[in-house]
Amino acid sequence: MSLPSRAADNLFWLGRYTERAEHKIRLLRAYHLRLAETGRPDLPLNEYLADYLEVLGCETPEASIEDVRAALRSAGSIRDRFSVDGWNALTDLLRTMERLAPKLRPGDDAARAMSVFLRKISGFSGLVHENMYRFTGWRFLSVGRAMERAWATSNVLCSFTAPDAPEGSSDIAIEAGDSIMSHRRRFAVGAGRETVLDLLLLDALNPRSVLHQLTMMHEHLRYLPVHHDGPRMTPVLRQVMRMETDLAVATAEDFDDARLSEVASETAALTGLLAQSYLR
């Protein structure tokens, strides 16, 4: 079945916006959990995380609400290609967020609400994974999610494994990457720079790692059509394969701050390469 470029673009951004909302909710929960534990927003780790949230533009749940609204706008443009259950899951999430967000108090109250939001957005993700027909549109949606997750994770790693990051920053990265249990199973020590990079950057078996996202992109992009009179490999697939290979043979010790920043920049550039190949 052919897929118009406009529909592919909306499915791609539907994936990105929902993943972006989830990432912001996880970071907000991490902040409010620490605020609930300490009661002090002026502690170094709390201030560092608050500053990161400000740079990201998500100091409050309203930023995530805007992402969910944007996801619904994308979904609304492709209602004939998107399931009723998926639509209902997103609208239910938005209603819940709009109802609870204005009443939240910093600390435990906000952390509990973030957990509610995460459960609901995970329901949408489950519907996409389990029920959506594996047609070309599903691949664009899945590529959008993978690109957003790779970009968000690489940026978290840049900030929360930096030499000047305060004590406890590695735990923030693990929480933002939803990999607390995975870290406990894999490592007998507490979270540190090398264990965090190994798990969230280089672990092909961790569905939250950057390498895993690149592998998923590679798999989906292989199935997308190419112009019969053009090159057999699109620029975006070529770059994804290059990055995937680089990370697959690397170790955590190979990544200083400069190389981590390079990974973040390269993941950000993938969106433009995809648009160049398919979304014009």
Side-chain angles (χ1 to χ4, degrees):
M1 180 186 300
S2 63
L3 183 71
S5 175
R6 180 63 61 86
D9 187 57
N10 278 300
L11 284 159
F12 171 76
W13 282 103
L14 171 59
R16 290 208 70 155
Y17 283 128
T18 52
E19 185 64 31
R20 187 173 299 175
E22 179 181 339
H23 179 68
K24 291 177 180 178
I25 291 168
R26 289 190 185 281
L27 285 170
L28 279 168
R29 183 173 66 172
Y31 174 75
H32 286 288
L33 282 172
R34 280 153 183 79
L35 197 59
E37 291 169 2
T38 65
R40 292 186 56 188
D42 60 333
L43 291 178
L45 181 59
N46 293 346
E47 287 187 334
Y48 192 80
L49 180 51
D51 289 344
Y52 187 82
L53 290 169
E54 183 177 1
V55 170
L56 203 60
C58 63
E59 307 97 306
T60 66
E62 277 68 23
S64 296
I65 292 175
E66 286 304 315
D67 289 326
V68 175
R69 287 177 180 144
L72 274 166
R73 286 194 293 271
S74 294
S77 300
I78 46 166
R79 287 297 300 273
D80 59 329
R81 299 173 184 271
F82 191 61
S83 76
V84 174
D85 287 337
W87 175 265
N88 289 339
L90 278 180
T91 54
D92 177 55
L93 169 64
L94 180 60
R95 282 196 298 267
T96 302
M97 295 178 79
E98 289 177 334
R99 176 171 54 85
L100 293 180
K103 301 182 290 186
L104 296 181
R105 297 184 301 276
D108 187 63
D109 185 48
R112 289 176 182 273
M114 297 306 116
S115 294
V116 172
F117 300 161
L118 283 174
R119 287 196 295 272
K120 287 183 176 287
I121 205 166
S122 295
F124 168 78
S125 299
L127 284 169
V128 168
H129 182 72
E130 296 294 336
N131 295 354
M132 195 169 177
Y133 191 80
R134 267 49 173 169
F135 74 125
T136 303
W138 173 76
R139 297 195 183 278
F140 275 102
L141 189 155
S142 299
V143 167
R145 292 184 65 199
M147 282 191 183
E148 184 68 29
R149 184 174 292 183
W151 177 81
T153 301
S154 59
N155 276 283
V156 161
L157 293 175
C158 285
S159 291
F160 291 92
T161 67
D164 60 345
E167 183 178 356
S169 293
S170 294
D171 293 322
I172 298 288
I174 294 294
E175 286 182 42
D178 193 25
S179 296
I180 295 174
M181 295 304 299
S182 298
H183 191 278
R184 289 176 184 169
R185 281 194 296 267
R186 281 207 53 200
F187 304 104
V189 296
R193 188 177 193 277
E194 289 188 3
T195 64
V196 170
L197 292 180
D198 192 273
L199 184 63
L200 289 175
L201 182 67
L202 304 175
D203 192 336
L205 298 182
N206 181 9
R208 293 278 170 175
S209 77
V210 177
L211 177 55
H212 186 87
Q213 303 315 308
L214 291 166
T215 301
M216 292 298 97
M217 287 182 234
H218 183 179
E219 177 70 15
H220 294 307
L221 291 169
R222 283 196 311 110
Y223 282 93
L224 296 184
V226 296
H227 295 294
H228 68 276
D229 56 348
R232 292 167 54 188
M233 186 180 296
T234 60
V236 64
L237 177 55
R238 185 177 295 109
Q239 178 64 2
V240 163
M241 291 176 65
R242 184 181 296 118
M243 293 178 65
E244 181 186 13
T245 301
D246 287 346
L247 294 189
V249 299
T251 64
E253 293 83 357
D254 296 330
F255 288 87
D256 57 14
D257 291 347
R259 190 169 178 189
L260 265 181
S261 294
E262 185 179 345
V263 172
S265 297
E266 288 176 344
T267 56
L270 291 175
T271 301
L273 291 174
L274 183 79
Q276 174 187 331
S277 300
Y278 293 106
L279 305 179
R280 291 180 291 182

